[in-house]
Amino acid sequence: MEIKIGKCSQACGACGRAFVHEEALTSVVRLDSQTLAREDYCAACWNGGRGADTFSVWSLKFYDAQVAEQQPPEIFSPLRQIFYNAVESEERTELAVAYLAAQLLRRQKVFRLIKESDEGEQEIKLVLFADRIGNRLIEVRDPNLSYAELEAGRKVLMERLAGLENPPNEAEEGAGDAQS
Ligand SMILES: [Zn+2]
């Protein structure tokens, strides 16, 4: 299994002009023999014809990390960290963790759902998200996870979240004294 993360181009795929921070763009992905190829276009170059035969088309604002760094930093997100640690795994429990974390990030509006494949005969369901922070495109795969696998993933996710939000070092120290 291969997970690909497509970043936005630095320049328009048609005219070659470099994008500026927060410029409105239109992006498409094409499904070429199992891999997703991404193209990004400026408003002047976009037309509907470029969206023909694509897997998905969406609009976004270009995110320039160097400009954004001069703005207030994004809040550290334990959920996002857990997601990126799990999404590249090939273990089913890790994929369940990534799948659930992605759904929560979507509720927090950190991830935006771009497209969900829904062909019933496929073994692996593909969900495509845009990560608003860092302007990445992420594929999340659901290899027909069962309810039990999702439940196991949910427990792992909750444990990791608790671990990141409350580091265990200090809490353990005082516990013995309180008991005696
Ligand atoms: Zn252009």
Side-chain angles (χ1 to χ4, degrees), residues 12-17 19 40-46:
C12 173
C15 68
R17 183 178 57 76
F19 295 134
D40 305 284
Y41 296 102
C42 77
C45 294
W46 174 255

Side-chain angles (χ1 to χ4, degrees), residues 147-173:
Y147 180 79
E149 285 174 319
L150 286 170
E151 179 58 20
R154 188 189 66 80
K155 284 185 182 152
V156 172
L157 176 60
M158 290 306 147
E159 280 165 19
R160 286 185 195 164
L161 269 179
L164 283 171
E165 283 170 354
N166 311 294
N169 35 6
E170 294 159 49
E172 298 298 314
E173 292 290 321

Side-chain angles (χ1 to χ4, degrees), residues 124-143:
I124 293 180
K125 194 170 159 188
L126 178 73
V127 191
L128 194 61
F129 290 100
D131 182 351
R132 199 178 55 77
I133 304 170
N135 186 29
R136 283 198 270 189
L137 194 65
I138 309 138
E139 279 177 58
V140 179
R141 285 168 192 259
D142 171 10

